[in-house]
Amino acid sequence: MLFVCQEILTIDFQTVFSCFRYKLEVVGKSLPILTNVDKGKYGVIVFENMDRYLTMDKWNRELLDKYCRQYQVGIIGFMSPREESLIGAQLRGFPLHIHTNFKLKDAELKADSPVLRITRGGDVLWGPLPGNDWTVFSPNHSTYEPLAMGSIQAPEDSPAYGGLSTNAITVIRDCGEFDGIQRILFGSGLDFWLHRLLFLDAMSFLSHGRLSTSLQRYIQVDIDDIFVGQKGTRLTPSDVDSIIETQNRIRTIVPGFRFNMGYSGKFFNHGTEEENKGDEYLLQHADEFTWFGHMWSHQQPHLYENISLLEADMLLNKKFAIEHGIPTDSGYSVSPHHSGVYPVHEALYEMWKKLWNIHVTSTEEYPHLRPARLRRGFIHRGIMVLPRQTCGLYTHTIFIDKYPGGRSTLDSSIKGGELFQTIVFNRINIFMTHMSNYGNDRLALYTFEAATKFLQCWTNLQFQSISALQLAEKYFRMYPEESEPVWGNPCDDQRHMKIWSQNKTCDQLPRFLVLGPQKTGTTALYTFLSMHPAIVSNYPSPETFEEIQFFNGKNYYKGLDWYMNFFPVPKNSTSKFLFEKSATYFDGELVPRRVHALLPKAKLVIIIISPAKRAYSWYQHVRSHGDPTALNHTFYQVLTAGDAQSKALRDLRFRCLSPGMYAHHLDRWLLYFPPQQISVIDGEQVRLDPVTSMSKLQHFLKIRPIFDYSLHLRYDARKGFFCQVVNGDHTKCLGRSKGRHYPTMDSQSAKYLQSFYMTHNIALEKLLKRLGYPIPLWLEEDLSDRPVNNQAVEMSNSL
Ligand SMILES: Nc1ncnc2c1ncn2[C@@H]1O[C@H](COP(=O)(O)OS(=O)(=O)O)[C@@H](OP(=O)(O)O)[C@H]1O
């Protein structure tokens, strides 16, 4: 874990941190708790403004320094720009002097410093350094070692600093000889790219390797749109030769490197005479490269009217490849404009698998194009989708003098800028380029050769290229948590809308959800809601009846289309409220995050009754479904199953008790949704006075017209519950499985549950009060014998 003391977010730490997984705590005025039992919580402490450390109050400073010494934790500090120019000012309490507000040039590193890991010293970065408010250091003690140096620009203007004019120290290491704490101090922020590298190294060094990223980097460069393109933008034979020569040179830095050619066969030989020779010449050298099918006519998959047309076009490209000796077994493909990859177009995945045996693809769009550092991968239907990086070359970037911002912009991206940092901060890099970037000025060749050389000069990173399949396997081994997709709402992103299927609409998504938990009256609520003329429920599922059960369990992997197909396309989307209820959503660990990703504006309805009553009703429910473990054990045996009992029995206990820990689950929903979007309903009121409950619910949902439930619900004495009024005088009640008849709960179990749920119920009472809800009667009763002063509850209340 990393603890960053920030004032205002002026330093862009996020980009730098993106290359490893970490936990970061940003701290304001007071210190956080530094230890956890007898372990130190933080591996490195970073002060965005070193003055905050230097001027810390005595007590906190002593505490922090003691922590650093005891757990051998180092400090990184950044010198903030200051208005007044200081000359030789002593750093409070340290034998170190600073001089401020310099313009510097010609950066250099102390090549033999043990701090350097990713960063390689030995060369000079000629030219001015960014910023005009650098702080430089003059040490006065052997504890200090320079780490980076620069020369003062125009030393003649600053005679007082004559001695500093060359090799002014810009980053300094305190080896800990002075006060037992190791520190690395930066004379400027992270705007300078070399500081970003040094910062990574400083973290690794001061955390004794714990906050480190691997030195291995994988690079794949795709050339999409092979054969696509206007006359004059295509490849000639000499361009192809140049690609091969450059690739050979890059391979000396990146073993295994080959450009990965994505072709659209329809446009083969569609150029000038010379370009057509280029097409033929490229194929004669097919074995110099790796290949993947793009799309026969470069059409975006989501634009095909039906799957057969998509299939036919894919087959044409495959036939073309076979006829022209292009290998078709890479298992990798890329879709034009990312179409259909994310948001998912199922037909694309289906045909990729069926016709091309595709296992890997890549996109820039998951979860969104920007910010690039947050791009992730996922696996859908066995196809591994890898994040793709951007290198600044697009179809239209053909000539250097027309490069947006000019040559200097491209050069600064290569030399320490965006492209350079992309490779430093991403362990696996897949770049998309286009055929046109390799003709004319051959910008892509220049870009990748210069970038790899610059990386080789300034870093110790080790580069390699491997097959797309190996790359994907490596990626998901590195980041296993990314295998699981998180489906977002395509309508929240303009770009996603454009590459989603044209005949899909977000109007086919629910506006509110009934989350459960099970056995609290969710079916009654669902039925009553469905009676409303403005409310439309989902179609039933053949397996799970009225519940879709999408956000929990396996159905989630079936994808968004599968989910949306449960909803009608409303004719007038604004006046209809689509909804679904799945009672297992409430206590599902992953559900709040998933619901939030897809339906961030949805309203959520939760219905609760006494958790003890709920648990007993659930036990009766699983018994009536023939669950052998429930049938063979009494309720009390289920509740008290301990470690010595079978797994089946322990699982049953968990599933019986866990949903009733209401506050715990509600808290998880509140991490993702504001309280205004959540309504917690008293299930006893739904049972005894559904008209009032439904009236409150309609107000919460802001549904119009208001439906008068008093005319449509009536108590049915035979059923013992409220039922729907049909055909004037009759009632239609819920089936026999709702409102079952079973013996009342035994007193031993009741006592156990009273105790088990006590702390949970206390937490619920607190939470409901905080959210402004009245306390239900059953909760008051369940809490009636609460321990005095909330003493520890006797029996176990954990699972
Ligand atoms: N109007 C009406 N009709 C029938 N049943 C009603 C009604 N209102 C509330 N209840 C109570 O709902 C309990 C079933 O809860 P759920 O529908 O949430 O169960 S499930 O999770 O969907 O299986 C069910 O639990 P049991 O009594 O244990 O069967 C009922 O007590």
Side-chain angles (χ1 to χ4, degrees):
M1 173 119 86
L2 191 70
F3 146 28
V4 179
C5 188
Q6 280 182 319
E7 284 186 321
I8 5 158
L9 245 155
T10 49
I11 295 185
D12 170 24
F13 290 116
Q14 303 297 346
T15 317
V16 187
F17 293 152
S18 63
C19 60
F20 54 72
R21 304 291 138 121
Y22 61 93
K23 235 174 147 187
L24 171 138
E25 196 150 329
V26 178
V27 173
K29 285 198 172 104
S30 54
L31 278 185
I33 296 164
L34 297 169
T35 50
N36 201 349
V37 194
D38 57 349
K39 285 203 179 99
K41 273 174 73 176
Y42 303 99
V44 171
I45 294 172
V46 180
F47 280 89
E48 186 184 14
N49 178 356
M50 193 57 189
D51 287 344
R52 283 287 297 279
Y53 174 72
L54 299 169
T55 57
M56 216 177 219
D57 67 75
K58 196 163 167 271
W59 166 261
N60 278 334
R61 172 69 183 275
E62 277 175 11
L63 204 70
L64 189 65
D65 284 357
K66 191 169 161 232
Y67 172 81
C68 289
R69 278 186 211 103
Q70 190 170 346
Y71 294 97
Q72 300 200 341
V73 167
I75 292 175
I76 298 175
F78 292 88
M79 305 307 298
S80 287
R82 49 187 88 222
E83 285 194 351
E84 82 277 37
S85 293
L86 303 174
I87 306 159
Q90 188 176 355
L91 210 62
R92 203 172 179 173
F94 291 96
L96 183 66
H97 294 82
I98 56 167
H99 317 264
T100 62
N101 289 338
F102 283 100
K103 280 189 188 174
L104 299 179
K105 61 177 182 176
D106 307 342
E108 224 178 318
L109 299 172
K110 177 116 188 335
D112 59 354
S113 169
V115 178
L116 299 187
R117 182 172 172 273
I118 290 181
T119 326
R120 184 202 287 268
D123 215 325
V124 180
L125 189 77
W126 299 108
L129 307 189
N132 52 13
D133 46 16
W134 283 74
T135 295
V136 297
F137 303 95
S138 304
N140 203 4
H141 193 285
S142 62
T143 188
Y144 294 107
E145 272 184 6
L147 184 56
M149 291 80 66
S151 303
I152 292 173
Q153 279 190 45
E156 60 281 4
D157 295 344
S158 41
Y161 324 127
L164 292 171
S165 61
T166 52
N167 288 346
I169 301 171
T170 53
V171 183
I172 197 160
R173 173 183 171 216
D174 175 348
C175 303
E177 283 170 26
F178 177 66
D179 64 356
I181 300 172
Q182 294 219 41
R183 300 180 185 83
I184 293 175
L185 306 182
F186 287 76
S188 172
L190 293 178
D191 286 347
F192 182 31
W193 64 266
L194 200 52
H195 278 193
R196 292 177 175 234
L197 260 62
L198 288 175
F199 181 54
L200 283 184
D201 285 348
M203 279 202 294
S204 169
F205 184 78
L206 294 176
S207 69
H208 313 282
R210 276 179 296 162
L211 290 166
S212 282
T213 169
S214 154
L215 291 178
Q216 189 74 50
R217 295 290 178 276
Y218 296 90
I219 297 180
Q220 175 176 315
V221 179
D222 292 351
I223 311 184
D224 293 5
D225 304 350
I226 289 289
F227 308 129
V228 186
Q230 302 295 315
K231 286 180 181 168
T233 67
R234 302 164 61 107
L235 302 180
T236 63
S238 80
D239 293 327
V240 177
D241 277 335
S242 199
I243 297 175
I244 295 170
E245 284 156 21
T246 311
Q247 159 173 294
N248 288 342
R249 287 195 298 275
I250 293 179
R251 214 179 291 152
T252 62
I253 302 171
V254 187
F257 181 81
R258 281 161 194 269
F259 285 105
N260 196 23
M261 307 284 184
Y263 52 92
S264 296
K266 182 177 177 185
F267 305 103
F268 180 64
N269 273 343
H270 273 50
T272 62
E273 200 178 317
E274 192 63 4
E275 286 169 341
N276 289 350
K277 281 187 198 156
D279 285 359
E280 299 282 358
Y281 194 67
L282 185 65
L283 291 185
Q284 282 164 27
H285 293 83
D287 55 357
E288 298 275 357
F289 311 107
T290 49
W291 294 83
F292 64 92
H294 203 29
M295 193 61 78
W296 166 249
S297 58
H298 204 261
Q299 164 128 310
Q300 299 174 29
H302 75 279
L303 297 177
Y304 284 87
E305 270 171 30
N306 63 48
I307 193 163
S308 324
L309 290 173
L310 178 67
E311 179 170 16
D313 259 15
M314 274 198 188
L315 273 174
L316 282 176
N317 217 26
K318 189 164 179 183
K319 211 164 139 239
F320 168 84
I322 293 166
E323 276 167 9
H324 290 84
I326 299 175
T328 55
D329 58 354
S330 71
Y332 177 77
S333 191
V334 167
S335 174
H337 302 281
H338 312 271
S339 149
V341 177
Y342 188 78
V344 165
H345 185 51
E346 297 293 349
L348 174 68
Y349 281 70
E350 199 179 322
M351 285 304 133
W352 262 350
K353 281 180 80 175
K354 181 175 164 193
L355 303 179
W356 286 89
N357 196 22
I358 297 302
H359 284 98
V360 189
T361 183
S362 58
T363 182
E364 294 170 356
E365 299 292 343
Y366 178 77
H368 299 283
L369 179 73
R370 294 197 200 292
R373 67 181 160 77
L374 292 184
R375 286 181 208 159
R376 297 284 182 261
F378 68 96
I379 303 178
H380 182 55
R381 298 194 185 271
I383 295 184
M384 294 177 273
V385 182
L386 296 178
R388 216 133 96 121
Q389 279 71 43
T390 317
C391 63
L393 298 174
Y394 304 94
T395 335
H396 55 275
T397 33
I398 299 171
F399 299 104
I400 187 76
D401 55 356
K402 293 209 182 117
Y403 189 87
R407 174 186 273 269
S408 62
T409 307
L410 180 61
D411 273 342
S412 50
S413 170
I414 294 168
K415 297 182 178 165
E418 194 176 333
L419 177 58
F420 173 87
Q421 289 182 40
T422 298
I423 298 175
V424 169
F425 298 131
N426 286 292
R427 289 170 69 183
I428 290 185
N429 293 275
I430 302 182
F431 292 105
M432 174 167 67
T433 60
H434 310 272
M435 184 178 73
S436 53
N437 308 135
Y438 295 79
N440 291 292
D441 280 359
R442 299 172 189 164
L443 282 186
L445 295 182
Y446 166 70
T447 302
F448 285 103
E449 187 168 8
T452 46
K453 280 186 174 157
F454 195 81
L455 281 155
Q456 191 188 33
C457 176
W458 284 99
T459 75
N460 292 309
L461 294 173
Q462 291 146 20
F463 302 99
Q464 207 189 338
S465 283
I466 51 179
S467 75
L469 207 58
Q470 288 170 318
L471 205 60
E473 277 160 6
K474 221 168 240 312
Y475 185 89
F476 287 104
R477 262 202 308 277
M478 278 177 199
Y479 309 116
E481 70 287 357
E482 288 184 26
S483 328
E484 299 247 339
V486 180
W487 307 124
N489 190 329
C491 300
D492 286 349
D493 185 322
Q494 288 284 325
R495 293 175 60 92
H496 289 179
M497 286 290 282
K498 283 191 190 137
I499 53 174
W500 201 31
S501 192
Q502 282 174 323
N503 46 27
K504 288 177 197 165
T505 160
C506 292
D507 294 341
Q508 223 180 331
L509 286 170
R511 283 162 74 173
F512 72 93
L513 301 177
V514 177
L515 304 175
Q518 281 181 297
K519 309 317 294 177
T520 53
T522 58
T523 317
L525 192 62
Y526 174 86
T527 311
F528 300 163
L529 282 164
S530 305
M531 290 161 57
H532 196 295
I535 295 178
V536 180
S537 71
N538 54 287
Y539 301 127
S541 146
E543 278 121 48
T544 45
F545 312 104
E546 87 269 9
E547 299 201 349
I548 307 177
Q549 297 183 4
F550 174 66
F551 293 102
N552 56 324
K554 291 201 185 93
N555 288 336
Y556 192 68
Y557 307 117
K558 293 180 179 161
L560 191 54
D561 286 7
W562 182 88
Y563 183 55
M564 291 203 324
N565 284 336
F566 278 97
F567 297 96
V569 184
K571 286 196 190 74
N572 183 350
S573 62
T574 46
S575 65
K576 290 287 177 195
F577 282 70
L578 296 186
F579 89 108
E580 65 129 334
K581 89 91 178 165
S582 295
T584 42
Y585 286 167
F586 176 67
D587 49 301
E589 193 76 29
L590 298 171
V591 182
R593 179 176 175 221
R594 289 174 172 176
V595 172
H596 185 258
L598 185 64
L599 308 167
K601 297 198 185 95
K603 292 203 171 165
L604 309 173
V605 180
I606 292 162
I607 165 167
I608 53 177
I609 58 172
S610 164
K613 186 175 169 190
R614 195 215 75 82
Y616 189 50
S617 167
W618 187 83
Y619 168 75
Q620 296 298 342
H621 169 87
V622 285
R623 271 172 75 93
S624 69
H625 279 75
D627 182 294
T629 318
L631 287 171
N632 288 330
H633 293 87
T634 64
F635 186 46
Y636 189 68
Q637 283 169 334
V638 172
L639 296 180
T640 53
D643 290 348
Q645 258 78 37
S646 69
K647 183 168 179 319
L649 188 56
R650 281 183 284 124
D651 284 352
L652 200 71
R653 174 179 189 262
F654 179 85
R655 286 165 50 222
C656 181
L657 290 172
S658 169
M661 296 154 76
Y662 297 143
H664 169 73
H665 300 299
L666 256 165
D667 274 339
R668 198 172 39 227
W669 284 98
L670 287 164
L671 287 179
Y672 292 88
F673 288 89
Q676 303 85 298
Q677 270 173 256
I678 301 177
S679 174
V680 182
I681 298 184
D682 178 0
E684 289 304 341
Q685 193 179 45
V686 174
R687 183 169 67 87
L688 301 169
D689 179 11
V691 172
T692 306
S693 290
M694 296 312 290
S695 163
K696 283 197 241 169
L697 189 52
Q698 289 185 81
H699 281 102
F700 165 73
L701 295 170
K702 295 203 169 75
I703 283 186
R704 294 289 175 277
I706 293 288
F707 188 63
D708 185 356
Y709 278 94
S710 66
L711 305 174
H712 301 274
L713 293 177
R714 187 186 308 151
Y715 184 76
D716 181 306
R718 271 221 329 245
K719 177 77 179 169
F721 288 93
F722 274 83
C723 302
Q724 191 178 346
V725 179
V726 285
N727 302 334
D729 220 21
H730 294 80
T731 50
K732 189 173 161 220
C733 299
L734 299 189
R736 266 189 305 164
S737 64
K738 311 293 158 185
R740 287 195 177 93
H741 295 284
Y742 43 78
T744 49
M745 198 191 308
D746 65 285
S747 60
Q748 212 181 7
S749 297
K751 192 162 174 257
Y752 181 91
L753 287 171
Q754 179 86 350
S755 171
F756 178 89
Y757 281 121
M758 184 56 75
T759 48
H760 302 291
N761 281 337
I762 291 170
L764 176 67
E765 184 192 42
K766 230 164 127 183
L767 184 61
L768 290 178
K769 277 186 183 160
R770 179 160 69 80
L771 298 177
Y773 287 99
I775 302 305
L777 244 161
W778 53 262
L779 184 55
E780 277 176 13
E781 276 165 21
D782 281 0
L783 288 171
S784 57
D785 64 345
R786 88 172 72 201
V788 188
N789 300 333
N790 289 349
Q791 287 157 346
V793 188
E794 251 176 54
M795 282 187 227
S796 151
N797 60 1
S798 63
L799 290 172

